[in-house]
Amino acid sequence: MNKEEGFVDVTWGKVWYRRVKGAAETAPLLVLHGGPGGSCYPLQRLDKLANGPDGRMVVYYDQLGAGRSKGPTDQALWNLDRYVEELGQVRERLGLDEVHILGHSWGTTLLASYLLTKPAGVKSAIFSSPCLSAPRWAKDQERLLKQLPEETQETIARCEADGTTNSEEYKQAMQVFAKNFVCRIEISAEEREATSKLGNLEVYNTMWGPSEFCVTGNLKEFDCTPKLHEIEVPSLFLCGRYDEATPESTSYFSSIVPGSKLHIFEKSAHSPYREQPEEYREVVAGFLDEAELAVK
């Protein structure tokens, strides 16, 4: 597998990227990781899309403020508009004139916002476990929290009311939530360590909040659903049956985007690329091949 990694300069710092080259002469797939403040590390399971005679190039990058990228340190720059501009600059620096884009979780927030600027050369879009309305997300989490043990619910409510979301008991309650709705399989110690080391909780807290289900950051009012009908590229929506990006909301978002497709992974929560990796890659690869034909 032919891999390349390095840095490209953007206005606010240096962006780390990784490119896995495939044999086929097809448009590459650019991957937008979750977060905010996450990294592309766990999504590198998509490397296998580059395998074989029909493999396509897969390109990843760590968004500024986290992962292996350097900068910015100014919290005022941790906002959606700047990340949209950063994405455009990354595409330009890496020569991704024609490209498919896959966003996961917060990456779908970034992807939808970018597409609504009407960029040229985007051949298709994949919204994996989408977050396209923060208010709707918050309501979904309220419903999911009610499925947890009463003791866990009480701990979460009390810690959020008291402002003790840094406490050990709150972290343990978050783990219960995560086991149900984020990832239902055991993650290796190596991946847990790497993900933790590469993540930046300061970015996450600034833009989102103290947890998946407590939205207090500058994305709190984000809602692009009134404009989703303006997305014109072939689109695929993905989520897990037990996803915190619920099947109901994912289906709703898909219904607004003209001609979009929907796939639900029956054994997954918010990490189908981890929980059902072979099916995830198969669905993504099939959609990309169809999208190539559709836009010729």
Side-chain angles (χ1 to χ4, degrees):
M1 193 178 291
N2 191 349
K3 302 177 184 179
E4 166 194 310
E5 61 182 63
F7 291 89
V8 293
D9 291 319
V10 296
T11 300
W12 315 270
K14 290 184 177 293
V15 167
W16 179 91
Y17 75 92
R18 182 172 180 271
R19 185 159 26 199
V20 184
K21 298 179 181 179
E25 295 294 325
T26 50
L29 174 67
L30 177 62
V31 179
L32 310 180
H33 63 70
S39 79
C40 67
Y41 182 87
L43 285 159
Q44 290 174 184
R45 289 170 171 84
L46 297 179
D47 281 4
K48 290 184 179 180
L49 292 174
N51 288 349
D54 298 323
R56 74 176 63 241
M57 181 187 294
V58 183
V59 183
Y60 311 87
Y61 75 97
D62 284 345
Q63 298 152 22
L64 287 175
R68 288 144 287 200
S69 292
K70 304 178 186 303
T73 56
D74 182 357
Q75 287 191 14
L77 296 174
W78 295 342
N79 63 77
L80 177 58
D81 289 343
R82 196 205 59 77
Y83 279 105
V84 168
E85 191 175 352
E86 175 186 307
L87 170 53
Q89 291 191 17
V90 168
R91 273 192 68 194
E92 181 182 355
R93 305 296 191 271
L94 294 177
L96 303 176
D97 298 330
E98 288 197 335
V99 68
H100 303 272
I101 306 179
L102 180 152
H104 178 73
S105 195
W106 139 257
T108 68
T109 306
L110 176 56
L111 173 55
S113 301
Y114 179 67
L115 291 176
L116 290 171
T117 69
K118 305 299 182 183
V122 179
K123 303 189 77 171
S124 77
I126 300 175
F127 297 88
S128 175
S129 298
C131 178
L132 302 178
S133 167
R136 187 181 182 99
W137 180 283
K139 290 180 180 178
D140 283 344
Q141 305 324 299
E142 287 179 13
R143 179 166 56 82
L144 295 179
L145 284 169
K146 292 177 181 177
Q147 299 178 29
L148 299 180
E150 286 190 14
E151 180 182 354
T152 303
Q153 294 183 51
E154 291 170 358
T155 298
I156 290 170
R158 174 168 44 78
C159 289
E160 291 181 353
D162 296 344
T164 56
T165 54
N166 287 325
S167 64
E168 189 59 34
E169 61 176 342
Y170 188 76
K171 292 175 183 177
Q172 290 177 3
M174 284 176 60
Q175 290 176 6
V176 175
F177 179 89
K179 191 65 177 176
N180 282 270
F181 306 116
V182 179
C183 186
R184 296 167 75 89
I185 65 170
E186 189 65 32
I187 300 172
S188 70
E190 178 186 2
E191 182 169 339
R192 287 198 306 272
E193 182 180 353
T195 302
S196 176
K197 181 179 178 180
L198 291 169
N200 186 335
L201 286 176
E202 195 173 356
V203 175
Y204 183 82
N205 288 334
T206 298
M207 296 185 67
W208 190 253
S211 72
E212 297 290 272
F213 38 81
C214 186
V215 190
T216 57
N218 59 39
L219 288 172
K220 185 176 182 179
E221 304 301 326
F222 172 80
D223 185 357
C224 70
T225 51
K227 294 186 176 182
L228 286 180
H229 68 278
E230 298 177 18
I231 294 177
E232 299 172 343
V233 301
S235 298
L236 172 66
F237 285 79
L238 307 173
C239 74
R241 176 60 64 189
Y242 309 99
D243 208 321
E244 57 182 342
T246 64
E248 293 81 6
S249 288
T250 302
S251 299
Y252 171 67
F253 298 141
S254 179
S255 73
I256 303 173
V257 176
S260 70
K261 297 186 175 183
L262 171 70
H263 185 91
I264 298 173
F265 297 92
E266 295 296 336
K267 298 178 182 179
S268 293
H270 195 56
S271 309
Y273 61 88
R274 283 187 181 116
E275 296 161 286
Q276 295 178 255
E278 291 184 5
E279 183 178 338
Y280 189 90
R281 288 189 295 265
E282 181 180 346
V283 170
V284 168
F287 171 76
L288 294 175
D289 289 343
E290 289 180 9
E292 290 277 347
L293 295 173
V295 296
K296 284 184 178 178

